Amino acid sequence: MKKIGFIGLGIMGKPMALNLLKAGYELTVYDVLAERMDEALKAGARRGLSGKDVASRSEVVITMLPNSPHVREAVLGRDGVLDGAKPGTILVDMSSIAPLASREIAAQAQAKGVAMLDAPVSGGEPKAVAGTLAIMVGGPQETFDTVKDILAKMGSTVTRVGAIGSGNVTKLANQIIVALNIAAMSEAMVLATKAGVDPEKVFQAIRGGLAGSTVLDAKVPLALKGNFKPGFRIELHIKDIANALDTAHELGVPVPLSSVVMEIMQALKADGKATNDHGGIIQFYEQLAKVQVRA
Amino acid sequence: MKKIGFIGLGIMGKPMALNLLKAGYELTVYDVLAERMDEALKAGARRGLSGKDVASRSEVVITMLPNSPHVREAVLGRDGVLDGAKPGTILVDMSSIAPLASREIAAQAQAKGVAMLDAPVSGGEPKAVAGTLAIMVGGPQETFDTVKDILAKMGSTVTRVGAIGSGNVTKLANQIIVALNIAAMSEAMVLATKAGVDPEKVFQAIRGGLAGSTVLDAKVPLALKGNFKPGFRIELHIKDIANALDTAHELGVPVPLSSVVMEIMQALKADGKATNDHGGIIQFYEQLAKVQVRA
């Protein structure tokens, strides 16, 4: 499989597409915003005119789009991927979307002879550029085996976790834990600071024990500097937690903490902080407690 | 300082006292339940008749009791430590109690010429036996310097984090993060399992990224086996979160997630699960979602 279509050349999609070009694949690209394609075209990609056009010229079609509705539109909509894809084409959706949406889209693709994987990523723009994303894949083993080498050009770990939708389920599990671990760190550190204890000393005292986490080590030092530059923006984490809540409600799983952290992020968004790093969840607490966690 | 008094020989206090005897200190012990003293007496401790009696025979008095009211009673109550302590005596409260209670008790001790440290521990019974607890200390630097060698016989890390109460503030920060990280793991893993994905694969896929934590690595493998033997009991974590909520409310710090995890633990307690390990927080989710996270 040498002919790849790539739809969605945003902050993440563009560097991912460039890494495929660098690896020697024949790439046809498409984005609804034409100027987003410029860099890939200059690097040797062919210009696609629509999802349909891209699919008609590709053996594997990759989509990297903001959320479930965009993927539905690009794949199932008019002049979409399924309008142009021949039977045997493989569709790899690398967007982070609702797992139940992945399953529905895959079923419609299947009906046209198109096998689909959901393969959301974690790691953000720097790792997209470096080609070191973590890629979590759901879908048939044999489809996975066919495109694994392609995915490996964009990520340093490519793990199949189960059937279609499993990649996005894993991503949601990841995002629930990250948001809640940040909020946990925030409640603890703001309480300690307001109680008059040096937050840096609290951090050093607890990080080696059961409270230790990658979030603690990554986000406390930034909070101590008041640095909330993204990183991963609160508005994107809102999208992921919205998908987690929808999925949980449809499946009958209570997620009370996730629903509270959603409200906290919504409050920050209402306060104009949606584009801050998700480490800025601590600002919700700092503002209400009238204290700043600073070294 | 060779003469030490030790009040409270429960699950934690007894092995801590035995480690001090082993190190060669002259120990006078007291517990309201006389039989709890037996092992220490056999190992060479002297029997104290009351807090007052212990204090009158000691240069340093250590208390290791369940919660704030017990420490108040043992120190400030009739025949308590302050009734017997000479000026210059040092009081080290190693119980996990409300930081504001530590400050009040210390002020009353100070009025009698007794300097106090709060020095709660983390690590549980096995580390109490091994003498490898983490000890977080609040109080004057010079008092800390005087007793540091004594504390080092019970713990492998002895850290002064600030003024009186800071030890317990740090402990509460630790316990907030641990409870919430366990609940975060639980929401994520139960959702993934109910969505049909192998929880072991989800765990392996996310543990190396930003979702990674000591809680994830310690508690997911136990949940996968359905092993909720303590460890650290839910009823003890309820006590710590109750102190965290009281402290937060008195200081004006919002802790919405801590209040939700409190309700989750109360629900488990009402269901007869208070003596399970706090990793059993996941059972709240498993029962309601009617699914078990199992390998």
Side-chain angles (χ1 to χ4, degrees), chain A residues 103 136 159-162 166 169-170 172-174 176-178 180-181 183-185 187-192 194-198 201-202 205-206 209-216 218-219 244 247-248 251-261 264 278 284-285 288-289, chain B residues 103 136 159-162 166 169-170 172-174 176-178 180-181 183-185 187-192 194-198 201-202 205-206 209-216 218-219 244 247-248 251-261 264 278 284-285 288-289:
Chain A
R103 289 179 190 169
M136 298 153 273
T159 314
R160 180 178 175 271
V161 284
S166 302
V169 167
T170 304
L172 291 185
N174 187 79
I176 286 174
I177 291 174
V178 171
L180 290 176
N181 284 10
M185 170 280 277
E187 292 199 1
M189 297 303 291
V190 171
L191 178 60
K194 183 82 175 189
V197 187
D198 178 352
K201 288 198 175 151
V202 174
I206 67 177
L210 191 52
S213 70
T214 308
V215 157
L216 200 72
K219 300 303 183 187
T247 305
L251 296 174
V253 178
V255 286
L257 293 174
S258 297
S259 85
V260 174
V261 82
I264 290 170
H278 55 174
F284 171 84
Y285 296 92
L288 290 167
Chain B
R103 289 179 189 170
M136 298 154 270
T159 313
R160 180 178 174 273
V161 284
S166 302
V169 167
T170 305
L172 292 185
N174 187 79
I176 286 173
I177 292 175
V178 171
L180 290 176
N181 284 10
M185 169 281 277
E187 292 198 1
M189 297 302 291
V190 171
L191 178 59
K194 184 82 177 188
V197 187
D198 178 353
K201 288 198 175 152
V202 174
I206 68 177
L210 191 51
S213 69
T214 308
V215 156
L216 202 72
K219 300 302 184 187
T247 305
L251 296 174
V253 177
V255 285
L257 293 175
S258 297
S259 85
V260 174
V261 82
I264 290 170
H278 54 174
F284 171 85
Y285 297 92
L288 290 167

Side-chain angles (χ1 to χ4, degrees), chain A residues 20-59:
Chain A
L20 293 176
L21 284 165
K22 215 179 297 174
Y25 291 103
E26 291 176 30
L27 214 64
T28 306
V29 299
Y30 178 68
D31 195 292
V32 288
L33 293 177
E35 68 271 23
R36 285 205 186 133
M37 293 186 273
D38 291 348
E39 209 170 324
L41 297 175
K42 219 184 303 176
R46 287 181 293 191
R47 181 191 298 272
L49 304 173
S50 66
K52 175 183 177 180
D53 181 45
V54 167
S56 69
R57 300 202 252 158
S58 306
E59 297 161 306

Side-chain angles (χ1 to χ4, degrees), chain B:
Chain B
M1 302 254 173
K2 292 298 287 179
K3 295 182 180 176
I4 302 178
F6 205 108
I7 298 172
L9 292 118
I11 291 174
M12 296 293 288
K14 188 185 76 180
M16 291 162 69
L18 292 173
N19 281 327
L20 292 176
L21 284 165
K22 215 180 293 171
Y25 291 103
E26 290 176 30
L27 215 63
T28 306
V29 299
Y30 178 67
D31 196 291
V32 289
L33 293 177
E35 68 271 23
R36 284 204 186 136
M37 292 186 273
D38 290 348
E39 209 170 323
L41 297 175
K42 221 184 299 175
R46 286 180 295 189
R47 181 191 298 273
L49 303 173
S50 65
K52 176 183 176 180
D53 182 43
V54 166
S56 69
R57 300 203 250 159
S58 305
E59 296 161 305
V60 175
V61 178
I62 294 170
T63 45
M64 189 63 180
L65 297 162
N67 205 349
S68 317
H70 312 85
V71 178
R72 276 186 213 280
E73 176 64 23
V75 175
L76 310 176
R78 194 221 249 288
D79 288 332
V81 171
L82 292 188
D83 279 348
K86 296 168 287 289
T89 304
I90 293 174
L91 171 60
V92 184
D93 179 35
M94 302 188 71
S95 323
S96 289
I97 72 173
L100 301 177
S102 296
R103 289 179 189 170
E104 287 166 29
I105 296 165
Q108 296 199 43
Q110 187 68 53
K112 297 222 174 178
V114 172
M116 176 171 155
L117 301 174
D118 67 315
V121 307
S122 87
E125 189 188 2
K127 294 198 172 184
V129 172
T132 57
L133 294 163
I135 306 179
M136 298 154 270
V137 189
Q141 181 73 50
E142 87 178 46
T143 312
F144 176 74
D145 292 339
T146 306
V147 301
K148 195 180 170 185
D149 291 347
I150 298 170
L151 297 178
K153 301 293 187 258
M154 297 177 281
S156 50
T157 66
V158 182
T159 313
R160 180 178 174 273
V161 284
I164 183 71
S166 302
N168 275 302
V169 167
T170 305
K171 177 76 190 275
L172 292 185
N174 187 79
Q175 295 303 81
I176 286 173
I177 292 175
V178 171
L180 290 176
N181 284 10
I182 292 172
M185 169 281 277
S186 301
E187 292 198 1
M189 297 302 291
V190 171
L191 178 59
T193 305
K194 184 82 177 188
V197 187
D198 178 353
E200 168 79 29
K201 288 198 175 152
V202 174
F203 171 56
Q204 292 301 343
I206 68 177
R207 60 186 289 271
L210 191 51
S213 69
T214 308
V215 156
L216 202 72
D217 283 346
K219 300 302 184 187
V220 169
L222 293 173
L224 290 170
K225 290 180 197 136
N227 178 355
F228 303 116
K229 275 179 292 192
F232 188 77
R233 297 193 304 278
I234 286 170
E235 62 191 2
L236 287 172
H237 219 136
I238 285 176
K239 183 202 84 170
D240 289 334
I241 299 299
N243 280 332
L245 294 176
D246 285 349
T247 305
H249 297 160
E250 289 196 52
L251 296 174
V253 177
V255 285
L257 293 175
S258 297
S259 85
V260 174
V261 82
M262 173 61 121
E263 294 309 306
I264 290 170
M265 292 193 295
Q266 292 287 352
L268 288 164
K269 184 181 170 187
D271 195 39
K273 296 189 168 66
T275 58
N276 281 1
D277 184 67
H278 54 174
I281 284 173
I282 199 171
Q283 293 181 289
F284 171 85
Y285 297 92
E286 289 184 329
Q287 283 180 234
L288 290 167
K290 299 184 181 66
V291 71
Q292 287 192 320
V293 172
R294 295 290 179 273

